[in-house]
Short mmCIF file of all heavy atoms in Angstrom, two decimals:
data_model
loop_
_atom_site.label_atom_id
_atom_site.label_comp_id
_atom_site.label_asym_id
_atom_site.label_seq_id
_atom_site.Cartn_x
_atom_site.Cartn_y
_atom_site.Cartn_z
N THR A 1 -20.25 39.18 41.90
CA THR A 1 -19.94 37.78 42.32
C THR A 1 -21.17 36.89 42.21
O THR A 1 -21.08 35.72 41.74
CB THR A 1 -19.48 37.88 43.80
OG1 THR A 1 -18.35 38.66 43.89
CG2 THR A 1 -19.14 36.43 44.37
N LYS A 2 -22.29 37.33 42.61
CA LYS A 2 -23.54 36.51 42.48
C LYS A 2 -23.89 36.21 41.09
O LYS A 2 -24.29 35.06 40.66
CB LYS A 2 -24.70 37.23 43.19
CG LYS A 2 -24.63 37.35 44.65
CD LYS A 2 -25.73 38.11 45.22
CE LYS A 2 -27.10 37.49 44.98
NZ LYS A 2 -28.17 38.18 45.61
N GLU A 3 -23.65 37.20 40.17
CA GLU A 3 -24.00 37.05 38.75
C GLU A 3 -23.04 35.92 38.15
O GLU A 3 -23.51 35.07 37.35
CB GLU A 3 -23.92 38.34 37.99
CG GLU A 3 -24.35 38.27 36.58
CD GLU A 3 -23.26 37.91 35.57
OE1 GLU A 3 -22.11 37.99 35.98
OE2 GLU A 3 -23.60 37.51 34.45
N ALA A 4 -21.76 35.99 38.55
CA ALA A 4 -20.76 34.99 38.00
C ALA A 4 -21.07 33.57 38.55
O ALA A 4 -21.07 32.58 37.70
CB ALA A 4 -19.39 35.41 38.39
N ARG A 5 -21.48 33.44 39.78
CA ARG A 5 -21.76 32.14 40.36
C ARG A 5 -23.10 31.56 39.72
O ARG A 5 -23.12 30.42 39.28
CB ARG A 5 -21.98 32.25 41.84
CG ARG A 5 -22.22 30.91 42.53
CD ARG A 5 -22.52 31.02 44.04
NE ARG A 5 -21.44 31.71 44.69
CZ ARG A 5 -21.62 32.92 45.31
NH1 ARG A 5 -22.76 33.53 45.27
NH2 ARG A 5 -20.53 33.51 45.91
N THR A 6 -24.03 32.41 39.58
CA THR A 6 -25.36 31.93 38.96
C THR A 6 -25.10 31.49 37.51
O THR A 6 -25.66 30.48 37.05
CB THR A 6 -26.38 33.03 39.07
OG1 THR A 6 -26.57 33.43 40.41
CG2 THR A 6 -27.71 32.56 38.52
N ARG A 7 -24.34 32.17 36.78
CA ARG A 7 -24.10 31.85 35.38
C ARG A 7 -23.42 30.53 35.21
O ARG A 7 -23.73 29.73 34.35
CB ARG A 7 -23.22 33.01 34.76
CG ARG A 7 -23.14 32.87 33.21
CD ARG A 7 -22.34 34.07 32.65
NE ARG A 7 -22.99 35.29 32.86
CZ ARG A 7 -24.01 35.67 32.02
NH1 ARG A 7 -24.40 34.96 31.04
NH2 ARG A 7 -24.62 36.87 32.30
N ALA A 8 -22.44 30.25 36.23
CA ALA A 8 -21.81 28.94 36.18
C ALA A 8 -22.78 27.80 36.51
O ALA A 8 -22.77 26.72 35.84
CB ALA A 8 -20.66 28.93 37.17
N LEU A 9 -23.68 28.01 37.47
CA LEU A 9 -24.62 26.96 37.79
C LEU A 9 -25.68 26.74 36.70
O LEU A 9 -26.03 25.60 36.41
CB LEU A 9 -25.34 27.35 39.07
CG LEU A 9 -24.49 27.36 40.36
CD1 LEU A 9 -25.30 27.85 41.51
CD2 LEU A 9 -23.91 25.94 40.64
N VAL A 10 -26.07 27.79 36.02
CA VAL A 10 -26.99 27.63 34.86
C VAL A 10 -26.28 26.83 33.76
O VAL A 10 -26.95 26.01 33.10
CB VAL A 10 -27.47 28.98 34.38
CG1 VAL A 10 -28.22 28.82 33.04
CG2 VAL A 10 -28.32 29.69 35.36
N GLY A 11 -24.95 27.02 33.59
CA GLY A 11 -24.27 26.34 32.55
C GLY A 11 -24.22 24.84 32.82
O GLY A 11 -24.18 24.01 31.93
N LYS A 12 -24.28 24.47 34.12
CA LYS A 12 -24.28 23.03 34.48
C LYS A 12 -25.62 22.45 34.65
O LYS A 12 -25.81 21.30 34.89
CB LYS A 12 -23.46 22.87 35.78
CG LYS A 12 -22.03 23.24 35.65
CD LYS A 12 -21.27 23.03 36.97
CE LYS A 12 -19.81 23.38 36.91
NZ LYS A 12 -19.11 23.23 38.18
N GLY A 13 -26.65 23.33 34.49
CA GLY A 13 -28.05 22.88 34.56
C GLY A 13 -28.57 22.69 35.97
O GLY A 13 -29.64 22.06 36.18
N PHE A 14 -27.87 23.27 37.02
CA PHE A 14 -28.34 23.07 38.30
C PHE A 14 -29.52 24.04 38.66
O PHE A 14 -30.31 23.73 39.51
CB PHE A 14 -27.21 23.32 39.34
CG PHE A 14 -26.11 22.20 39.19
CD1 PHE A 14 -24.81 22.52 39.53
CD2 PHE A 14 -26.45 20.88 38.85
CE1 PHE A 14 -23.82 21.49 39.43
CE2 PHE A 14 -25.50 19.90 38.79
CZ PHE A 14 -24.17 20.24 39.03
N ILE A 15 -29.53 25.25 38.07
CA ILE A 15 -30.62 26.20 38.33
C ILE A 15 -31.22 26.70 37.06
O ILE A 15 -30.56 26.53 35.96
CB ILE A 15 -30.13 27.36 39.21
CG1 ILE A 15 -28.97 28.14 38.53
CG2 ILE A 15 -29.74 26.98 40.60
CD1 ILE A 15 -28.53 29.35 39.31
N SER A 16 -32.39 27.37 37.13
CA SER A 16 -33.05 27.79 35.89
C SER A 16 -32.43 29.13 35.41
O SER A 16 -31.77 29.90 36.12
CB SER A 16 -34.51 27.96 36.20
OG SER A 16 -34.67 29.02 37.18
N GLN A 17 -32.81 29.40 34.15
CA GLN A 17 -32.33 30.64 33.53
C GLN A 17 -32.97 31.88 34.22
O GLN A 17 -32.41 32.99 34.21
CB GLN A 17 -32.73 30.68 32.05
CG GLN A 17 -32.27 31.89 31.24
CD GLN A 17 -30.77 31.97 31.11
OE1 GLN A 17 -30.08 31.00 31.08
NE2 GLN A 17 -30.27 33.26 31.12
N ALA A 18 -34.12 31.74 34.76
CA ALA A 18 -34.85 32.85 35.41
C ALA A 18 -34.05 33.48 36.56
O ALA A 18 -33.97 34.65 36.76
CB ALA A 18 -36.21 32.47 35.91
N GLU A 19 -33.38 32.57 37.31
CA GLU A 19 -32.53 33.10 38.46
C GLU A 19 -31.36 33.92 37.88
O GLU A 19 -30.99 34.88 38.49
CB GLU A 19 -32.09 31.95 39.27
CG GLU A 19 -33.20 31.18 40.08
CD GLU A 19 -32.66 30.26 41.11
OE1 GLU A 19 -31.51 30.55 41.55
OE2 GLU A 19 -33.38 29.39 41.44
N LEU A 20 -30.83 33.48 36.77
CA LEU A 20 -29.71 34.28 36.19
C LEU A 20 -30.20 35.64 35.73
O LEU A 20 -29.44 36.63 35.93
CB LEU A 20 -29.11 33.52 35.01
CG LEU A 20 -27.96 34.26 34.28
CD1 LEU A 20 -26.82 34.52 35.16
CD2 LEU A 20 -27.58 33.43 33.02
N ASP A 21 -31.41 35.68 35.20
CA ASP A 21 -31.84 36.96 34.73
C ASP A 21 -32.11 37.98 35.95
O ASP A 21 -31.78 39.12 35.76
CB ASP A 21 -33.24 36.78 34.08
CG ASP A 21 -33.13 36.03 32.71
OD1 ASP A 21 -31.99 35.95 32.15
OD2 ASP A 21 -34.11 35.45 32.26
N VAL A 22 -32.53 37.45 37.05
CA VAL A 22 -32.68 38.26 38.25
C VAL A 22 -31.33 38.83 38.70
O VAL A 22 -31.15 39.97 39.04
CB VAL A 22 -33.38 37.50 39.35
CG1 VAL A 22 -33.31 38.31 40.64
CG2 VAL A 22 -34.78 37.11 39.02
N ASN A 23 -30.30 37.93 38.72
CA ASN A 23 -28.98 38.39 39.10
C ASN A 23 -28.33 39.37 38.12
O ASN A 23 -27.64 40.32 38.56
CB ASN A 23 -28.04 37.18 39.24
CG ASN A 23 -28.40 36.27 40.44
OD1 ASN A 23 -28.32 35.01 40.34
ND2 ASN A 23 -28.77 36.88 41.59
N VAL A 24 -28.66 39.24 36.84
CA VAL A 24 -28.07 40.21 35.89
C VAL A 24 -28.81 41.63 36.16
O VAL A 24 -28.09 42.70 36.06
CB VAL A 24 -28.44 39.70 34.47
CG1 VAL A 24 -28.10 40.86 33.39
CG2 VAL A 24 -27.54 38.50 34.12
N GLN A 25 -30.10 41.57 36.42
CA GLN A 25 -30.78 42.84 36.73
C GLN A 25 -30.24 43.54 37.94
O GLN A 25 -30.07 44.74 37.98
CB GLN A 25 -32.25 42.57 36.86
CG GLN A 25 -33.12 43.83 37.05
CD GLN A 25 -33.29 44.26 38.49
OE1 GLN A 25 -33.13 43.42 39.40
NE2 GLN A 25 -33.48 45.56 38.76
N GLU A 26 -29.92 42.75 38.93
CA GLU A 26 -29.35 43.30 40.23
C GLU A 26 -27.97 43.84 39.94
O GLU A 26 -27.59 44.87 40.52
CB GLU A 26 -29.28 42.24 41.29
CG GLU A 26 -30.63 41.76 41.81
CD GLU A 26 -30.51 40.61 42.80
OE1 GLU A 26 -29.40 40.12 42.95
OE2 GLU A 26 -31.50 40.27 43.48
N LEU A 27 -27.22 43.23 39.09
CA LEU A 27 -25.90 43.75 38.76
C LEU A 27 -25.97 45.08 38.02
O LEU A 27 -25.23 46.05 38.35
CB LEU A 27 -25.13 42.74 37.91
CG LEU A 27 -23.78 43.17 37.37
CD1 LEU A 27 -22.79 43.49 38.56
CD2 LEU A 27 -23.17 42.12 36.43
N ASP A 28 -26.89 45.22 37.12
CA ASP A 28 -27.04 46.49 36.38
C ASP A 28 -27.54 47.60 37.33
O ASP A 28 -27.07 48.77 37.24
CB ASP A 28 -28.16 46.27 35.22
CG ASP A 28 -27.62 45.44 34.15
OD1 ASP A 28 -26.37 45.20 34.05
OD2 ASP A 28 -28.47 44.87 33.37
N ALA A 29 -28.44 47.28 38.20
CA ALA A 29 -28.91 48.25 39.26
C ALA A 29 -27.74 48.69 40.15
O ALA A 29 -27.63 49.85 40.49
CB ALA A 29 -29.98 47.69 40.04
N ALA A 30 -26.92 47.79 40.51
CA ALA A 30 -25.77 48.09 41.34
C ALA A 30 -24.74 49.08 40.62
O ALA A 30 -24.22 49.99 41.20
CB ALA A 30 -25.04 46.90 41.81
N ARG A 31 -24.54 48.75 39.34
CA ARG A 31 -23.68 49.62 38.57
C ARG A 31 -24.25 51.11 38.46
O ARG A 31 -23.58 52.05 38.56
CB ARG A 31 -23.44 49.07 37.16
CG ARG A 31 -22.61 47.79 37.10
CD ARG A 31 -22.56 47.18 35.79
NE ARG A 31 -21.67 46.03 35.75
CZ ARG A 31 -21.60 45.14 34.81
NH1 ARG A 31 -22.49 45.21 33.76
NH2 ARG A 31 -20.69 44.17 34.81
N ALA A 32 -25.62 51.16 38.23
CA ALA A 32 -26.21 52.47 38.18
C ALA A 32 -26.16 53.21 39.48
O ALA A 32 -25.97 54.42 39.49
CB ALA A 32 -27.71 52.30 37.76
N GLN A 33 -26.23 52.49 40.57
CA GLN A 33 -26.21 53.10 41.88
C GLN A 33 -24.82 53.67 42.17
O GLN A 33 -24.68 54.76 42.75
CB GLN A 33 -26.57 52.10 42.95
CG GLN A 33 -26.81 52.72 44.35
CD GLN A 33 -27.99 53.68 44.37
OE1 GLN A 33 -28.94 53.41 43.65
NE2 GLN A 33 -27.87 54.74 45.10
N VAL A 34 -23.79 52.97 41.60
CA VAL A 34 -22.43 53.59 41.75
C VAL A 34 -22.33 54.84 40.96
O VAL A 34 -21.65 55.83 41.42
CB VAL A 34 -21.41 52.46 41.26
CG1 VAL A 34 -20.00 53.13 41.15
CG2 VAL A 34 -21.35 51.32 42.20
N GLU A 35 -22.89 54.93 39.78
CA GLU A 35 -22.79 56.19 38.98
C GLU A 35 -23.49 57.29 39.67
O GLU A 35 -23.06 58.42 39.65
CB GLU A 35 -23.41 55.95 37.65
CG GLU A 35 -22.67 54.90 36.74
CD GLU A 35 -21.21 55.33 36.51
OE1 GLU A 35 -20.97 56.53 36.30
OE2 GLU A 35 -20.33 54.46 36.49
N VAL A 36 -24.67 57.00 40.31
CA VAL A 36 -25.39 58.05 41.06
C VAL A 36 -24.56 58.52 42.23
O VAL A 36 -24.46 59.74 42.47
CB VAL A 36 -26.72 57.45 41.58
CG1 VAL A 36 -27.38 58.53 42.54
CG2 VAL A 36 -27.66 57.19 40.43
N ALA A 37 -23.95 57.64 42.97
CA ALA A 37 -23.04 58.07 44.04
C ALA A 37 -21.85 58.88 43.58
O ALA A 37 -21.48 59.80 44.26
CB ALA A 37 -22.56 56.80 44.79
#
């Protein structure tokens, strides 16, 4: 959810690309944690 919201805001120029990169990394880590579980 956070990754989708941040991507939309970056598209409108409201936030920087760096924040999107952080949310993408958090999304990948969450997916890996699910595989571990």
Side-chain angles (χ1 to χ4, degrees):
T1 301
K2 290 177 63 176
E3 188 272 341
R5 184 184 303 117
T6 303
R7 189 176 295 279
L9 294 175
V10 170
K12 294 179 181 181
F14 293 150
I15 59 177
S16 65
Q17 180 67 33
E19 293 190 26
L20 176 60
D21 293 341
V22 172
N23 290 139
V24 170
Q25 185 273 334
E26 292 176 350
L27 177 59
D28 292 340
R31 287 172 177 168
Q33 192 62 36
V34 169
E35 296 301 322
V36 171

